[in-house]
Amino acid sequence: MLTLKCLVTGGAGYIGTHTLIALIEAGLQPVVVDDFRNGSIENIVHAESITGEKIKYYNCNILDRGLHDIFKEEKFDIVLHFAALKSVAESIIHPLDYFENNISGFINLLKNMESVGVKKLVFSSSAAIYSDKAIAPFSENAPVKPVTPYGQTKRIGEKICEDLVNSGAGWQIVSLRYFNPAGAHKSGVIGDKPKFAPTNLFPVLGEVVTGRRTHVDLFGLDYDTKDGSAVRDYIHVMDLSEGHVAAIEWLLRDSINDGSFNIFNLGTGIGTTVCEIIDTYIEISKTKIPIKKCSRRAGDLPIVYANPKRAFDILGWKARRSLTEMVAHDWNFRIRDL
Ligand code: NAD
Protein backbone atom coordinates (compact mmCIF):
# COMPACT_ATOMS: atom_id res chain seq x y z
CA MET A 1 0.00 0.00 0.00
CA LEU A 2 1.18 3.53 -0.82
CA THR A 3 1.25 6.14 1.94
CA LEU A 4 2.32 9.23 0.06
CA LYS A 5 0.86 12.71 0.19
CA CYS A 6 -0.56 13.88 -3.06
CA LEU A 7 -1.63 17.39 -4.12
CA VAL A 8 -4.75 17.25 -6.28
CA THR A 9 -5.30 20.58 -8.02
CA GLY A 10 -8.90 20.83 -9.20
CA GLY A 11 -9.77 18.01 -6.80
CA ALA A 12 -13.26 19.40 -6.18
CA GLY A 13 -14.21 19.07 -9.86
CA TYR A 14 -15.64 16.15 -11.79
CA ILE A 15 -12.61 13.95 -12.51
CA GLY A 16 -10.68 15.21 -9.48
CA THR A 17 -13.37 14.15 -7.00
CA HIS A 18 -13.61 10.65 -8.46
CA THR A 19 -9.82 10.41 -8.39
CA LEU A 20 -9.79 11.29 -4.68
CA ILE A 21 -11.66 8.03 -4.14
CA ALA A 22 -9.27 5.98 -6.28
CA LEU A 23 -6.26 7.56 -4.51
CA ILE A 24 -7.59 6.82 -1.03
CA GLU A 25 -8.50 3.27 -2.04
CA ALA A 26 -4.87 2.87 -3.15
CA GLY A 27 -3.57 4.15 0.20
CA LEU A 28 -2.54 7.63 -0.93
CA GLN A 29 -3.34 10.75 1.04
CA PRO A 30 -4.87 13.42 -1.23
CA VAL A 31 -4.94 17.13 -0.39
CA VAL A 32 -7.11 19.33 -2.62
CA VAL A 33 -6.36 22.80 -3.96
CA ASP A 34 -9.34 24.27 -5.79
CA ASP A 35 -10.87 27.73 -6.08
CA PHE A 36 -14.33 26.15 -6.50
CA ARG A 37 -15.14 28.04 -9.69
CA ASN A 38 -16.48 24.78 -11.10
CA GLY A 39 -16.07 22.34 -8.23
CA SER A 40 -17.66 22.24 -4.78
CA ILE A 41 -16.90 21.43 -1.16
CA GLU A 42 -19.96 19.16 -1.33
CA ASN A 43 -18.09 16.95 -3.82
CA ILE A 44 -15.20 16.58 -1.37
CA VAL A 45 -17.61 15.78 1.45
CA HIS A 46 -19.20 13.07 -0.71
CA ALA A 47 -15.77 11.61 -1.45
CA GLU A 48 -15.17 11.56 2.31
CA SER A 49 -18.41 9.72 2.96
CA ILE A 50 -17.66 7.14 0.23
CA THR A 51 -14.13 6.46 1.49
CA GLY A 52 -14.60 7.08 5.22
CA GLU A 53 -11.48 9.31 5.18
CA LYS A 54 -11.18 13.02 5.95
CA ILE A 55 -9.85 15.00 2.98
CA LYS A 56 -8.00 18.26 3.56
CA TYR A 57 -8.67 21.06 1.09
CA TYR A 58 -7.56 24.61 0.41
CA ASN A 59 -9.65 27.26 -1.36
CA CYS A 60 -6.90 28.70 -3.57
CA ASN A 61 -6.46 29.73 -7.19
CA ILE A 62 -3.33 28.07 -8.59
CA LEU A 63 -2.32 31.49 -9.96
CA ASP A 64 -2.21 32.95 -6.45
CA ARG A 65 0.82 33.50 -4.24
CA GLY A 66 -0.94 31.60 -1.46
CA LEU A 67 -0.04 28.39 -3.28
CA HIS A 68 3.51 28.77 -2.02
CA ASP A 69 2.43 28.63 1.64
CA ILE A 70 0.47 25.45 0.93
CA PHE A 71 3.54 23.80 -0.59
CA LYS A 72 5.67 24.82 2.40
CA GLU A 73 3.06 23.58 4.85
CA GLU A 74 2.17 20.23 3.27
CA LYS A 75 5.36 18.63 1.92
CA PHE A 76 3.78 16.82 -1.01
CA ASP A 77 5.36 13.77 -2.61
CA ILE A 78 3.56 14.07 -5.93
CA VAL A 79 1.13 16.37 -7.76
CA LEU A 80 -1.91 15.55 -9.90
CA HIS A 81 -2.85 18.58 -11.95
CA PHE A 82 -6.53 18.71 -12.93
CA ALA A 83 -7.25 22.42 -12.37
CA ALA A 84 -8.05 23.93 -15.75
CA LEU A 85 -10.79 25.44 -17.85
CA LYS A 86 -12.12 22.73 -20.15
CA SER A 87 -14.78 23.93 -22.58
CA VAL A 88 -13.59 23.64 -26.17
CA ALA A 89 -16.37 25.96 -27.40
CA GLU A 90 -15.74 28.60 -24.72
CA SER A 91 -12.01 28.55 -25.44
CA ILE A 92 -12.66 29.67 -29.03
CA ILE A 93 -14.55 32.72 -27.74
CA HIS A 94 -12.25 33.52 -24.77
CA PRO A 95 -8.81 32.17 -25.68
CA LEU A 96 -6.95 34.49 -23.28
CA ASP A 97 -8.84 33.16 -20.27
CA TYR A 98 -7.77 29.68 -21.30
CA PHE A 99 -4.13 30.56 -21.81
CA GLU A 100 -4.02 32.47 -18.53
CA ASN A 101 -5.59 29.73 -16.43
CA ASN A 102 -4.26 26.63 -18.14
CA ILE A 103 -0.76 27.87 -19.01
CA SER A 104 0.09 30.67 -16.55
CA GLY A 105 -1.61 28.71 -13.76
CA PHE A 106 0.34 25.60 -14.68
CA ILE A 107 3.64 27.50 -14.74
CA ASN A 108 2.93 28.97 -11.31
CA LEU A 109 2.21 25.47 -10.03
CA LEU A 110 5.46 24.13 -11.51
CA LYS A 111 7.50 27.00 -10.06
CA ASN A 112 6.07 26.25 -6.64
CA MET A 113 6.84 22.57 -7.05
CA GLU A 114 10.41 23.40 -8.06
CA SER A 115 10.88 25.76 -5.11
CA VAL A 116 10.27 22.94 -2.64
CA GLY A 117 11.83 20.14 -4.70
CA VAL A 118 8.60 18.28 -5.63
CA LYS A 119 9.26 16.97 -9.13
CA LYS A 120 6.77 14.18 -9.69
CA LEU A 121 3.68 15.16 -11.67
CA VAL A 122 0.71 13.62 -13.43
CA PHE A 123 -0.67 16.07 -16.01
CA SER A 124 -4.25 16.02 -17.29
CA SER A 125 -4.08 16.20 -21.06
CA SER A 126 -6.71 15.52 -23.66
CA ALA A 127 -7.49 13.81 -26.94
CA ALA A 128 -8.32 17.36 -28.08
CA ILE A 129 -4.65 17.79 -28.99
CA TYR A 130 -4.73 15.29 -31.86
CA SER A 131 -4.67 16.57 -35.45
CA ASP A 132 -7.66 16.29 -37.76
CA LYS A 133 -5.26 14.24 -39.91
CA ALA A 134 -4.92 11.57 -37.20
CA ILE A 135 -6.70 8.31 -37.98
CA ALA A 136 -8.55 6.40 -35.24
CA PRO A 137 -7.61 4.48 -33.21
CA PHE A 138 -5.18 7.22 -32.12
CA SER A 139 -1.91 6.00 -30.64
CA GLU A 140 0.26 8.41 -28.66
CA ASN A 141 2.47 9.05 -31.68
CA ALA A 142 -0.45 10.01 -33.95
CA PRO A 143 -0.06 13.53 -35.37
CA VAL A 144 -0.77 16.29 -32.88
CA LYS A 145 -2.16 19.64 -34.01
CA PRO A 146 -4.87 21.04 -31.77
CA VAL A 147 -7.57 22.90 -33.62
CA THR A 148 -8.85 24.92 -30.63
CA PRO A 149 -7.29 27.16 -27.95
CA TYR A 150 -8.26 24.61 -25.27
CA GLY A 151 -6.40 21.88 -27.15
CA GLN A 152 -3.45 24.26 -27.59
CA THR A 153 -3.23 24.79 -23.84
CA LYS A 154 -2.95 21.03 -23.35
CA ARG A 155 -0.35 20.71 -26.10
CA ILE A 156 1.72 23.56 -24.68
CA GLY A 157 1.35 22.01 -21.21
CA GLU A 158 2.82 18.77 -22.56
CA LYS A 159 5.69 20.66 -24.23
CA ILE A 160 6.51 22.35 -20.93
CA CYS A 161 6.51 18.94 -19.24
CA GLU A 162 8.76 17.48 -21.91
CA ASP A 163 11.27 20.34 -21.64
CA LEU A 164 11.33 20.03 -17.85
CA VAL A 165 12.02 16.30 -18.00
CA ASN A 166 14.71 16.88 -20.65
CA SER A 167 16.36 19.58 -18.50
CA GLY A 168 17.94 16.80 -16.45
CA ALA A 169 16.82 18.46 -13.22
CA GLY A 170 15.11 15.31 -11.99
CA TRP A 171 11.51 15.91 -13.09
CA GLN A 172 9.40 12.79 -13.51
CA ILE A 173 6.22 13.57 -15.39
CA VAL A 174 3.47 11.55 -16.97
CA SER A 175 0.87 13.09 -19.25
CA LEU A 176 -2.46 11.31 -19.51
CA ARG A 177 -4.52 12.05 -22.60
CA TYR A 178 -8.14 11.53 -21.63
CA PHE A 179 -10.65 10.63 -24.30
CA ASN A 180 -14.28 11.21 -23.18
CA PRO A 181 -14.67 10.79 -19.41
CA ALA A 182 -18.29 10.01 -18.59
CA GLY A 183 -20.55 8.46 -15.99
CA ALA A 184 -20.39 8.67 -12.23
CA HIS A 185 -19.32 6.80 -9.13
CA LYS A 186 -21.63 3.80 -8.66
CA SER A 187 -22.97 5.29 -5.40
CA GLY A 188 -24.65 7.99 -7.50
CA VAL A 189 -23.62 10.74 -5.06
CA ILE A 190 -20.97 12.35 -7.27
CA GLY A 191 -20.97 12.89 -11.02
CA ASP A 192 -20.51 15.49 -13.73
CA LYS A 193 -22.61 18.56 -12.90
CA PRO A 194 -20.73 21.72 -13.89
CA LYS A 195 -21.74 25.09 -12.48
CA PHE A 196 -21.82 26.62 -15.96
CA ALA A 197 -23.87 25.52 -18.97
CA PRO A 198 -22.45 22.10 -19.87
CA THR A 199 -21.09 21.30 -23.31
CA ASN A 200 -20.11 17.64 -22.76
CA LEU A 201 -22.72 15.06 -23.77
CA PHE A 202 -23.42 13.37 -20.43
CA PRO A 203 -24.17 16.47 -18.34
CA VAL A 204 -26.32 17.76 -21.20
CA LEU A 205 -28.23 14.46 -21.22
CA GLY A 206 -28.50 14.78 -17.45
CA GLU A 207 -30.21 18.16 -17.80
CA VAL A 208 -32.66 16.76 -20.36
CA VAL A 209 -33.62 13.65 -18.37
CA THR A 210 -34.21 15.75 -15.25
CA GLY A 211 -36.32 18.33 -17.08
CA ARG A 212 -33.82 21.19 -16.90
CA ARG A 213 -33.35 21.34 -20.65
CA THR A 214 -35.85 20.56 -23.40
CA HIS A 215 -33.59 18.68 -25.82
CA VAL A 216 -30.08 17.64 -26.81
CA ASP A 217 -28.43 19.58 -29.62
CA LEU A 218 -26.94 16.98 -31.93
CA PHE A 219 -24.01 18.64 -33.68
CA GLY A 220 -23.53 17.03 -37.07
CA LEU A 221 -25.48 14.10 -38.45
CA ASP A 222 -23.61 14.05 -41.72
CA TYR A 223 -20.36 12.43 -40.60
CA ASP A 224 -19.17 9.34 -42.42
CA THR A 225 -20.14 7.03 -39.55
CA LYS A 226 -22.78 4.30 -39.17
CA ASP A 227 -25.56 6.70 -38.13
CA GLY A 228 -24.03 10.03 -39.20
CA SER A 229 -23.22 11.23 -35.67
CA ALA A 230 -19.67 11.70 -34.38
CA VAL A 231 -17.78 8.77 -32.85
CA ARG A 232 -16.13 9.16 -29.44
CA ASP A 233 -14.34 6.98 -26.90
CA TYR A 234 -16.44 7.28 -23.73
CA ILE A 235 -14.55 6.05 -20.69
CA HIS A 236 -16.05 5.50 -17.23
CA VAL A 237 -14.71 8.19 -14.91
CA MET A 238 -13.71 5.60 -12.28
CA ASP A 239 -11.64 3.71 -14.87
CA LEU A 240 -9.99 7.01 -15.73
CA SER A 241 -9.36 7.75 -12.05
CA GLU A 242 -7.77 4.35 -11.55
CA GLY A 243 -5.50 5.15 -14.51
CA HIS A 244 -4.01 7.93 -12.34
CA VAL A 245 -3.19 5.48 -9.58
CA ALA A 246 -1.49 3.22 -12.14
CA ALA A 247 0.52 6.21 -13.41
CA ILE A 248 1.59 7.19 -9.89
CA GLU A 249 2.63 3.65 -9.01
CA TRP A 250 4.68 3.53 -12.18
CA LEU A 251 6.29 6.95 -11.57
CA LEU A 252 7.34 5.81 -8.13
CA ARG A 253 9.08 2.72 -9.47
CA ASP A 254 12.33 4.46 -10.37
CA SER A 255 13.87 1.33 -11.79
CA ILE A 256 11.19 1.09 -14.48
CA ASN A 257 10.80 4.79 -15.21
CA ASP A 258 13.62 5.54 -17.67
CA GLY A 259 13.79 9.30 -17.11
CA SER A 260 11.96 10.25 -20.29
CA PHE A 261 8.70 12.13 -20.63
CA ASN A 262 5.87 9.65 -21.00
CA ILE A 263 2.44 10.09 -22.52
CA PHE A 264 -0.41 7.62 -22.22
CA ASN A 265 -3.84 7.57 -23.81
CA LEU A 266 -6.60 6.82 -21.33
CA GLY A 267 -9.48 5.48 -23.38
CA THR A 268 -11.30 2.22 -23.92
CA GLY A 269 -10.29 1.72 -27.55
CA ILE A 270 -13.97 1.47 -28.45
CA GLY A 271 -15.68 4.07 -30.63
CA THR A 272 -19.35 4.77 -29.87
CA THR A 273 -21.54 7.19 -31.78
CA VAL A 274 -23.36 10.01 -30.02
CA CYS A 275 -26.67 8.49 -31.19
CA GLU A 276 -25.73 5.13 -29.64
CA ILE A 277 -25.10 6.84 -26.30
CA ILE A 278 -28.46 8.60 -26.48
CA ASP A 279 -30.23 5.32 -27.34
CA THR A 280 -28.54 3.53 -24.43
CA TYR A 281 -29.52 6.37 -22.10
CA ILE A 282 -33.15 6.17 -23.23
CA GLU A 283 -33.13 2.41 -22.71
CA ILE A 284 -31.68 2.57 -19.20
CA SER A 285 -33.48 5.65 -17.91
CA LYS A 286 -36.78 4.88 -19.66
CA THR A 287 -37.13 8.60 -20.31
CA LYS A 288 -37.69 10.56 -23.51
CA ILE A 289 -34.65 12.41 -24.89
CA PRO A 290 -35.71 14.81 -27.68
CA ILE A 291 -32.92 15.82 -30.05
CA LYS A 292 -32.43 18.84 -32.28
CA LYS A 293 -30.33 18.38 -35.39
CA CYS A 294 -27.66 21.10 -35.61
CA SER A 295 -24.76 21.73 -37.96
CA ARG A 296 -21.28 20.51 -37.05
CA ARG A 297 -19.55 22.31 -34.17
CA ALA A 298 -16.24 24.12 -34.75
CA GLY A 299 -13.31 22.02 -33.57
CA ASP A 300 -15.15 18.67 -33.54
CA LEU A 301 -13.38 15.81 -35.33
CA PRO A 302 -15.60 13.11 -36.88
CA ILE A 303 -14.06 9.96 -35.35
CA VAL A 304 -11.98 9.96 -32.18
CA TYR A 305 -11.07 6.87 -30.23
CA ALA A 306 -7.94 5.68 -28.54
CA ASN A 307 -5.43 2.97 -28.98
CA PRO A 308 -4.92 2.38 -25.24
CA LYS A 309 -2.33 -0.40 -25.67
CA ARG A 310 0.60 1.59 -24.31
CA ALA A 311 -1.14 2.24 -20.99
CA PHE A 312 -1.82 -1.48 -20.69
CA ASP A 313 1.67 -2.59 -21.71
CA ILE A 314 3.54 -0.15 -19.47
CA LEU A 315 1.16 0.86 -16.67
CA GLY A 316 -0.79 -2.39 -16.59
CA TRP A 317 -4.01 -0.36 -16.76
CA LYS A 318 -7.07 -0.80 -18.90
CA ALA A 319 -10.69 0.34 -18.73
CA ARG A 320 -12.85 -2.38 -17.18
CA ARG A 321 -16.35 -0.92 -16.98
CA SER A 322 -18.90 -1.25 -19.79
CA LEU A 323 -20.91 1.39 -21.59
CA THR A 324 -24.02 0.08 -19.83
CA GLU A 325 -22.41 0.60 -16.41
CA MET A 326 -21.31 4.08 -17.45
CA VAL A 327 -24.84 5.10 -18.41
CA ALA A 328 -26.48 3.30 -15.47
CA HIS A 329 -24.15 4.99 -12.95
CA ASP A 330 -24.72 8.36 -14.60
CA TRP A 331 -28.49 7.82 -14.41
CA ASN A 332 -28.13 6.89 -10.69
CA PHE A 333 -26.54 10.28 -10.20
CA ARG A 334 -29.16 12.22 -12.21
CA ILE A 335 -32.07 10.59 -10.35
CA ARG A 336 -31.07 12.66 -7.33
CA ASP A 337 -32.16 15.79 -9.21
CA LEU A 338 -35.62 14.51 -10.14
P1 NAD B 1 -13.88 20.40 -13.77
O1 NAD B 1 -14.14 21.77 -14.25
O2 NAD B 1 -15.03 19.62 -13.24
O3 NAD B 1 -12.74 20.40 -12.67
C1 NAD B 1 -11.68 21.32 -12.70
C2 NAD B 1 -11.55 21.88 -11.30
O4 NAD B 1 -10.46 22.81 -11.32
C3 NAD B 1 -12.78 22.64 -10.83
O5 NAD B 1 -13.15 22.18 -9.56
C4 NAD B 1 -12.36 24.10 -10.81
O6 NAD B 1 -12.99 24.81 -9.77
C5 NAD B 1 -10.85 23.97 -10.61
N1 NAD B 1 -10.07 25.08 -11.14
C6 NAD B 1 -10.06 25.57 -12.40
N2 NAD B 1 -9.17 26.56 -12.51
C7 NAD B 1 -8.61 26.71 -11.29
C8 NAD B 1 -7.61 27.57 -10.75
N3 NAD B 1 -7.03 28.52 -11.50
N4 NAD B 1 -7.24 27.42 -9.46
C9 NAD B 1 -7.82 26.48 -8.67
N5 NAD B 1 -8.79 25.65 -9.11
C10 NAD B 1 -9.16 25.77 -10.41
O7 NAD B 1 -13.18 19.62 -14.98
P2 NAD B 1 -12.89 18.07 -15.14
O8 NAD B 1 -13.82 17.54 -16.16
O9 NAD B 1 -12.82 17.44 -13.83
O10 NAD B 1 -11.46 18.14 -15.82
C11 NAD B 1 -10.27 17.96 -15.06
C12 NAD B 1 -9.09 18.04 -16.01
O11 NAD B 1 -9.22 17.05 -17.03
C13 NAD B 1 -8.93 19.37 -16.72
O12 NAD B 1 -7.55 19.67 -16.80
C14 NAD B 1 -9.49 19.10 -18.10
O13 NAD B 1 -8.93 19.93 -19.07
C15 NAD B 1 -9.06 17.65 -18.31
N6 NAD B 1 -9.89 16.94 -19.27
C16 NAD B 1 -11.23 16.83 -19.04
C17 NAD B 1 -12.02 16.16 -19.97
C18 NAD B 1 -13.51 16.06 -19.77
O14 NAD B 1 -14.22 15.72 -20.74
N7 NAD B 1 -14.06 16.28 -18.59
C19 NAD B 1 -11.44 15.60 -21.12
C20 NAD B 1 -10.06 15.70 -21.30
C21 NAD B 1 -9.30 16.38 -20.36
Side-chain angles (χ1 to χ4, degrees):
M1 284 290 260
L2 301 164
T3 52
L4 302 173
K5 194 188 273 190
C6 183
L7 167 60
V8 185
T9 73
Y14 171 48
I15 302 169
T17 308
H18 288 81
T19 304
L20 296 178
I21 296 166
L23 293 171
I24 291 171
E25 283 172 354
L28 278 150
Q29 185 194 346
V31 175
V32 173
V33 165
D34 201 300
D35 66 1
F36 302 112
R37 73 182 65 195
N38 200 31
S40 68
I41 294 174
E42 200 189 359
N43 278 344
I44 299 174
V45 171
H46 285 316
E48 287 179 334
S49 68
I50 291 168
T51 59
E53 293 287 334
K54 194 93 196 114
I55 301 170
K56 193 165 178 183
Y57 65 84
Y58 292 90
N59 182 346
C60 176
N61 184 326
I62 54 163
L63 277 153
D64 288 351
R65 283 166 182 267
L67 192 61
H68 186 63
D69 299 332
I70 299 171
F71 269 96
K72 279 176 71 178
E73 169 80 20
E74 293 291 346
K75 309 209 177 351
F76 298 114
D77 296 294
I78 190 161
V79 175
L80 269 73
H81 179 46
F82 294 102
L85 297 175
K86 64 165 179 179
S87 162
V88 166
E90 188 187 58
S91 79
I92 295 169
I93 301 164
H94 299 295
L96 276 183
D97 290 348
Y98 275 68
F99 285 109
E100 180 183 44
N101 201 52
N102 296 7
I103 303 297
S104 304
F106 184 39
I107 291 172
N108 194 42
L109 172 71
L110 291 166
K111 287 203 148 222
N112 276 289
M113 289 175 66
E114 187 177 48
S115 73
V116 293
V118 179
K119 293 186 174 173
K120 289 180 174 37
L121 170 73
V122 179
F123 176 69
S124 297
S125 188
S126 167
I129 75 168
Y130 286 111
S131 159
D132 56 4
K133 304 281 182 297
I135 295 168
F138 297 180
S139 60
E140 290 80 355
N141 54 16
V144 158
K145 193 178 177 195
V147 291
T148 63
Y150 168 73
Q152 286 287 4
T153 67
K154 294 297 176 183
R155 180 60 185 145
I156 294 166
E158 283 194 354
K159 280 303 289 172
I160 293 170
C161 294
E162 186 177 10
D163 288 347
L164 279 176
V165 171
N166 290 341
S167 71
W171 288 87
Q172 293 177 292
I173 307 180
V174 162
S175 175
L176 301 178
R177 290 181 183 161
Y178 312 158
F179 278 68
N180 288 73
H185 186 264
K186 63 181 180 203
S187 62
V189 293
I190 51 169
D192 192 4
K193 194 160 62 169
K195 289 183 178 167
F196 306 103
T199 49
N200 284 356
L201 180 60
F202 274 69
V204 168
L205 286 171
E207 290 194 348
V208 175
V209 295
T210 53
R212 285 162 179 73
R213 186 190 281 248
T214 54
H215 63 274
V216 177
D217 287 326
L218 201 47
F219 296 104
L221 268 171
D222 55 350
Y223 290 113
D224 188 13
T225 61
K226 59 179 140 178
D227 54 28
S229 64
V231 168
R232 293 290 177 266
D233 186 338
Y234 294 94
I235 171 170
H236 195 296
V237 65
M238 284 311 298
D239 279 330
L240 189 84
S241 299
E242 287 160 10
H244 291 73
V245 174
I248 292 171
E249 286 172 344
W250 183 74
L251 263 185
L252 295 172
R253 263 179 267 147
D254 283 337
S255 54
I256 296 176
N257 182 3
D258 63 0
S260 56
F261 172 52
N262 275 280
I263 298 171
F264 298 97
N265 283 337
L266 293 188
T268 62
I270 301 166
T272 308
T273 68
V274 173
C275 288
E276 285 173 326
I277 294 287
I278 296 173
D279 288 345
T280 310
Y281 219 112
I282 291 171
E283 198 183 312
I284 288 178
S285 67
K286 312 256 181 296
T287 54
K288 289 198 172 65
I289 302 184
I291 60 162
K292 182 176 163 205
K293 294 177 189 173
C294 305
S295 48
R296 295 182 184 193
R297 199 166 48 173
D300 277 351
L301 305 189
I303 302 180
V304 177
Y305 60 95
N307 176 347
K309 187 174 179 306
R310 189 163 195 272
F312 182 64
D313 289 348
I314 298 178
L315 304 180
W317 169 91
K318 69 173 181 179
R320 297 182 290 119
R321 294 161 178 93
S322 66
L323 178 62
T324 309
E325 281 174 281
M326 197 187 306
V327 173
H329 294 166
D330 197 77
W331 173 234
N332 268 348
F333 173 64
R334 306 299 168 190
I335 286 171
R336 295 165 62 87
D337 284 337
L338 285 176

